[in-house]
Amino acid sequence: MRADAPKRAADYAPLAFPALMLTVFFVVPFGIMVMVSFFQRQPGGFYTPDFVFSSYERFLSAFFGGVLGFSLGLAALVAVICVAVGFPFAYELARTRRRVQVAWLVALLAVLSLSEVIIGFAWSTLLSRTAGISNLLVWLGLMEKPTALTPNFGAVLTGMVYQAFPYTVLVLYPAMARLDPTLMEASRTLGAHPLRAFLTVVVPALRNTILATFIMVFVFALGSYLLPQLLGRPQHWTLSVLITDQAVYQSNLPFAAAMAVFLVLVTLSLVGLALLVGRKESAA
């Protein structure tokens, strides 16, 4: 059933409070950040109101372009891994007994209670040479001597996937639980292999959910800045790390604001793309 379209100004009253909160906590801070990005930086960490493009011109350099490309690629890789692993995991979880579902959901929520700092130091210990996983591999005879597995790109990727995976499952799980089980039964009755039925029935039926989950994890990973510092080398730092460095340690707030504005625009573009794709599929 579709609700009637608003016809009077009073029909928009329920939107007043969300619009006020969005204006106060997003539009105003984002507008201030855009203004600061055009300010002129002065020696000693100060800046004066102006309208210059020096911060954006610096952002277009090869170094920061490389950091931007690495950040986008890393966030996309984290999103692909989380969706590829989380989708079948959530599908099987939705079809287990209720008691098992509750246990797994509590475990995932427990992971969400951990801060990024705790996750980073925990993985740093697990991947270290003195008390890490390599000691277990040596004890099992799979390695000759303990080896430090951090800092490197694999450690950064592992930590970020670990942090984003609970969000992935918790977003996919409600859609999986509502999926009509007769779809799979019908396809298997017609002779389809379970894997083929999963790929040709379940995946297309939840295409919009998969896209929304991918974008959510991508945006979440794009904003991560502690794990790349704790588990990676400087060449593995993301754009969020450089924003913090410019704002806190270099006292270059206009440049940090310019990079933050770009990240917000990338995020909004992805959300807009997801809405456009969803609208086209609904109209089809």
Side-chain angles (χ1 to χ4, degrees):
M1 183 175 64
R2 179 175 296 180
D4 296 334
K7 298 178 181 178
R8 301 174 301 170
D11 296 335
Y12 292 95
L15 299 177
F17 184 73
L20 178 63
M21 293 296 103
L22 185 66
T23 302
V24 172
F25 293 107
F26 176 75
V27 176
V28 173
F30 183 68
I32 295 174
M33 190 167 61
V34 172
M35 291 173 55
V36 173
S37 69
F38 291 104
F39 285 179
Q40 179 69 51
R41 188 196 181 198
Q42 301 296 332
F46 300 100
Y47 54 92
T48 55
D50 206 333
F51 191 75
V52 295
F53 292 89
S54 57
S55 297
Y56 290 96
E57 291 173 354
R58 183 183 177 190
F59 183 54
L60 296 177
S61 64
F63 171 75
F64 289 102
V67 175
L68 174 62
F70 175 79
S71 302
L72 295 175
L74 177 61
L77 183 58
V78 171
V80 168
I81 295 175
C82 285
V83 172
V85 178
F87 191 81
F89 178 86
Y91 177 78
E92 294 298 331
L93 178 63
R95 273 141 191 84
T96 58
R97 291 180 299 173
R98 188 64 180 173
R99 183 178 302 177
V100 178
Q101 293 183 25
V102 172
W104 272 107
L105 292 176
V106 170
L108 293 171
L109 291 173
V111 175
L112 295 182
S113 66
L114 302 176
S115 70
E116 191 174 358
V117 176
I118 295 176
I119 293 175
F121 280 112
W123 276 105
S124 178
T125 302
L126 286 174
L127 299 176
S128 66
R129 183 176 60 85
T130 55
I133 299 175
S134 61
N135 291 275
L136 177 62
L137 298 178
V138 171
W139 183 73
L140 294 174
L142 301 177
M143 292 181 65
E144 295 183 357
K145 60 180 180 178
T147 304
L149 303 176
T150 183
N152 58 33
F153 177 76
V156 176
L157 183 63
T158 302
M160 293 178 66
V161 169
Y162 175 84
Q163 186 186 26
F165 185 76
Y167 294 99
T168 308
V169 176
L170 292 177
V171 172
L172 290 171
Y173 172 76
M176 293 291 188
R178 292 194 302 267
L179 186 67
D180 189 356
T182 59
L183 293 176
M184 282 290 290
E185 295 175 2
S187 61
R188 296 187 64 177
T189 302
L190 295 174
H193 188 273
L195 179 60
R196 183 179 180 182
F198 178 79
L199 295 176
T200 57
V201 176
V202 177
V203 173
L206 299 175
R207 187 180 305 155
N208 287 342
T209 303
I210 296 173
L211 178 61
T213 306
F214 176 85
I215 292 175
M216 187 211 67
V217 178
F218 179 85
V219 173
F220 178 78
L222 197 60
S224 178
Y225 74 98
L226 273 178
L227 291 179
Q229 292 185 80
L230 295 175
L231 301 175
R233 301 181 186 278
Q235 60 266 34
H236 304 132
W237 288 2
T238 59
L239 197 60
S240 298
V241 179
L242 296 186
I243 292 174
T244 306
D245 179 70
Q246 291 293 326
V248 177
Y249 301 106
Q250 306 298 328
S251 300
N252 192 349
L253 208 56
F255 186 42
M259 290 193 289
V261 167
F262 186 84
L263 270 185
V264 173
L265 293 179
V266 170
T267 302
L268 294 178
S269 300
L270 289 172
V271 174
L273 178 63
L275 293 176
L276 181 63
V277 172
R279 181 174 299 180
K280 285 185 176 180
E281 291 190 353
S282 300

